């Protein structure tokens, strides 16, 4: 029932994650952070078992920092994605596999903006956009319509992410009221305003 959305544009990446923690039919909290900073230009959006996603994200972040300390330079987004896939594959073949699905969004000076899909079976694919969870069923078609080969300004990209959240909240019976959004570009990681049901309702009333 969780949802994360990632979109890679020409010069930046947008990641959004719902902020709800659900146990069975009960909403436990609505302010959980599912976007994890791995380096200065790399963010992991993770969904899955509560303990697994937090522990695995911290494990990857610490090992990426350790690599930088040992070698004097950090991993670019593609290398970090392959390292993440390798670590997940090794745990998958152990007695303690991680039930985690991830989107890794990052920026590299040479390669530019990139987005990688990694699922709990350690599949790795570089994608232009993707969404995990039931929200992906309705948001991917919205991105298909407005993506325009990724040639959108950050403001237009944020509006596209809003369209996705509006569609999720309109079409799904699941209640996902709050989404945290981050932008990753050459300047680093930037928090954008959360997209919430309250702010969307306020904007709709002002427009009317």
């Amino acid at each position: 029932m969780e949802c994360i959305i990632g979109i890679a544009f020409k010069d930046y990446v947008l990641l959004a994650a719902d902020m709800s923690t659900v146990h069975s039919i009960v909403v436990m909290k609505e302010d959980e952070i599912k976007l994890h900073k791995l380096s200065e230009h790399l963010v992991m959006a993770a969904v899955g078992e509560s303990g697994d996603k937090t522990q695995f994200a911290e494990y990857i972040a610490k090992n990426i920092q350790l690599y930088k300390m040992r070698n004097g330079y950090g991993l670019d987004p593609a290398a970090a994605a392959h390292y993440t896939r390798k670590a997940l594959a090794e745990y998958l073949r152990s007695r303690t596999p991680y039930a985690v699905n991830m989107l890794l969004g990052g920026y590299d000076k040479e390669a530019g903006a990139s987005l990688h899909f990694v699922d709990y079976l350690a599949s790795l694919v570089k994608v232009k956009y993707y969404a995990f969870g039931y929200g992906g069923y309705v948001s991917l078609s919205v991105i298909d319509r407005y993506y325009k080969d990724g040639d959108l300004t950050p403001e237009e990209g944020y509006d596209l992410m809003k369209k996705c959240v509006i569609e999720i909240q309109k079409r799904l019976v699941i209640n996902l009221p709050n989404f945290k959004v981050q932008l990753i570009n050459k300047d680093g990681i930037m928090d954008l305003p959360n997209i919430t049901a309250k702010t969307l309702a306020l904007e709709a009333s002002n427009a009317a």
Side-chain angles (χ1 to χ4, degrees):
M1 292 187 289
E2 297 175 291
C3 181
I4 53 176
I5 306 169
I7 313 174
F9 299 93
K10 292 187 181 298
D11 300 315
Y12 64 97
V13 179
L14 282 180
L15 287 175
D18 79 277
M19 302 174 70
S20 299
T21 300
V22 180
H23 180 70
S24 183
I25 61 171
V26 179
V27 177
M28 306 301 291
K29 58 190 296 189
E30 293 184 341
D31 58 355
E32 183 180 1
I33 305 301
K34 300 175 184 177
L35 299 178
H36 306 274
K37 177 182 176 181
L38 302 184
S39 67
E40 295 302 319
H41 294 84
L42 181 63
V43 175
M44 173 194 290
V47 292
E49 294 294 333
S50 296
D52 284 5
K53 63 188 176 187
T54 302
Q55 186 175 352
F56 188 72
E58 291 178 352
Y59 171 81
I60 296 298
K62 298 301 182 185
N63 277 277
I64 287 176
Q65 292 301 317
L66 179 62
Y67 182 93
K68 185 176 181 180
M69 291 170 61
R70 285 178 171 174
N71 297 278
Y73 58 91
L75 295 172
D76 62 29
H82 281 86
Y83 171 75
T84 302
R85 190 215 69 81
K86 179 177 180 293
L88 198 60
E90 290 174 349
Y91 278 107
L92 182 65
R93 290 158 177 81
S94 72
R95 294 184 178 181
T96 56
Y98 285 101
V100 186
N101 295 311
M102 294 158 283
L103 293 174
L104 279 75
Y107 185 88
D108 180 66
K109 291 181 180 179
E110 296 182 0
S114 63
L115 178 69
H116 290 84
F117 153 108
V118 186
D119 70 3
Y120 74 103
L121 294 175
S123 301
L124 170 64
V125 183
K126 183 179 179 181
V127 293
K128 293 181 179 179
Y129 50 84
Y130 196 78
F132 276 109
Y134 290 133
Y137 295 162
V138 295
S139 59
L140 288 176
S141 59
V142 175
I143 303 173
D144 281 336
R145 180 175 181 181
Y146 297 103
Y147 185 68
K148 297 179 182 178
D149 295 324
D151 190 18
L152 299 177
T153 66
E155 292 77 15
E156 292 171 334
Y158 183 72
D159 286 339
L160 174 54
M161 193 66 79
K162 273 187 181 180
K163 287 183 174 69
C164 294
V165 174
I166 290 170
E167 201 67 16
I168 290 170
Q169 294 176 347
K170 177 182 178 182
R171 301 283 296 278
L172 294 187
V173 69
I174 304 165
N175 181 31
L176 298 175
N178 304 321
F179 278 76
K180 182 174 179 61
V181 185
Q182 287 186 338
L183 180 148
I184 308 100
N185 61 11
K186 61 182 179 62
D187 298 320
I189 301 166
M190 181 187 307
D191 285 322
L192 299 182
N194 292 344
I195 303 174
T196 68
K198 290 182 179 179
T199 58
L200 292 174
L202 182 61
E203 289 179 6
S205 64
N206 291 337

